[in-house]
Amino acid sequence: MEIQVLGPLNADVNGESIVPTAGKPRQILALLAFYPGRVMPVPTLMEELWGTNLPQSAMTTLQTYILQLRRRLGTAMGPDAPGTAKEVLATRHGGYLLQIPPQSVDAHGYEQLVSSGQGAFEEGEDERAASLFREALAMWNGPALVDVRVGPILEIEVLRLEESRLVTVERRIDADLRLGRHSELLAELTDLIARHPQHEGLHSQAMVALYRSGRQATALDVYRKLRRRLIEDLGVEPSPQLQRLHQAMLTVDPALDVACGPRHSSTFDLYAA
């Protein structure tokens, strides 16, 4: 079985999709996929499907959804499969689980690559870190579970993955900046700060990329616009790190040079206290 959650939900067995068309069985499959080999308690499944407003027939309906998933799974497995659908989508005391290895789910592979990339980043292996981060990000095919109506449990998982995706983009850009690829990053960073207009980390990266590309005035303008937005929208000043970065650009601090900057920290932390 191969399951993708980093985009539309896909689940294939022997090349045949087992993803149901109905919304609630899709939710169950997606939630079980996040915890391969682990029991998902019935109350958690019910909370995902109905929140706190459980119908009287909740248990019977949940069992029906599980049966529907097993039927699709059994059809895809075929009569010659070594196991049965009930062994793959198994019942355990108080819940259900997918008996599949974690590497069958793309989110698991993604997180392994991110972890390896972070290790390389912290060791100053910038080229390897950037490559691993790119490989991880290439696994995404749109917003996580973009075609699944998520309940309170899946919503947390989706938010966690999306936040991880953005952090991974930041770390990959950090590695590229440490490799001197500032000019190559300008178009991407321009798009990112437009999509995340209050994100200080991305703005700091855009400022550094512009500064190192000989566009000091534009870098300072990025700061001015962000500062105005933060004050108008949130009533706060930029963080001390960003203020110190801004001051460093005004004074042409040599630490901003790609060859002089710290090798084991993020761009945003160049001027952390």
Side-chain angles (χ1 to χ4, degrees), residues 73-85:
L73 182 57
T75 299
M77 290 172 65
D80 300 324
T84 66

Side-chain angles (χ1 to χ4, degrees), residues 30-263:
L31 188 53
L32 292 173
F34 272 103
Y35 301 93
R38 291 170 53 186
V39 175
M40 181 57 55
V42 165
T44 303
L45 287 165
M46 289 183 174
E47 183 182 356
E48 168 62 27
L49 295 178
W50 296 290
T52 58
N53 188 26
L54 299 182
Q56 284 189 335
S57 60
M59 190 66 220
T60 302
T61 304
L62 175 61
Q63 291 170 340
T64 300
Y65 293 152
I66 294 292
L67 180 60
Q68 291 172 2
L69 286 169
R70 282 179 177 151
R71 283 174 178 164
R72 296 184 71 92
L73 182 57
T75 299
M77 290 172 65
D80 300 324
T84 66
K86 196 168 184 178
E87 292 170 340
V88 178
L89 177 47
T91 302
R92 291 291 184 268
H93 179 69
Y96 301 94
L97 78 157
L98 272 179
Q99 299 248 55
I100 58 174
Q103 56 266 32
S104 297
V105 184
D106 61 351
H108 176 81
Y110 160 78
E111 289 172 341
Q112 280 193 321
L113 286 168
V114 169
S115 178
S116 298
Q118 187 62 33
F121 182 82
E122 291 171 359
E123 292 297 321
E125 300 175 20
D126 300 331
E127 194 69 66
R128 181 167 175 265
S131 177
L132 286 165
F133 288 144
R134 279 193 179 85
E135 188 177 351
L137 292 166
M139 297 182 70
W140 286 76
N141 190 34
L145 296 181
V146 65
D147 59 347
V148 176
R149 187 192 71 80
V150 299
I153 313 300
L154 277 178
E155 183 179 24
I156 293 171
E157 295 293 346
V158 167
L159 288 173
R160 179 184 63 81
L161 276 175
E162 292 291 348
E163 180 62 24
S164 170
R165 184 186 191 183
L166 185 56
V167 170
T168 302
V169 169
E170 285 186 79
R171 292 292 79 82
R172 196 223 81 227
I173 292 172
D174 277 330
D176 282 335
L177 282 171
R178 296 195 317 201
L179 289 163
R181 295 170 178 162
H182 32 270
S183 296
E184 301 164 40
L185 293 168
L186 292 178
E188 179 183 11
L189 281 166
T190 299
D191 177 68
L192 283 168
I193 63 175
R195 293 174 182 270
H196 304 277
Q198 296 176 350
H199 195 296
E200 292 194 356
L202 293 172
H203 280 75
S204 72
Q205 292 177 323
M207 289 167 64
V208 170
L210 286 162
Y211 180 90
R212 290 178 180 169
S213 301
R215 297 171 61 182
Q216 181 187 25
T218 308
L220 295 171
D221 191 50
V222 168
Y223 177 84
R224 282 192 293 270
K225 289 178 179 177
L226 173 62
R227 179 175 182 268
R228 185 171 63 245
R229 193 177 300 117
L230 291 174
I231 291 172
E232 291 176 355
D233 294 350
L234 302 176
V236 299
E237 290 280 351
S239 66
Q241 292 103 308
L242 204 59
Q243 292 184 45
R244 285 191 285 267
L245 176 62
H246 175 247
Q247 186 61 33
M249 289 183 175
L250 291 172
T251 59
V252 195
D253 188 335
L256 281 169
D257 184 76
V258 65
C260 299
R263 302 302 295 167

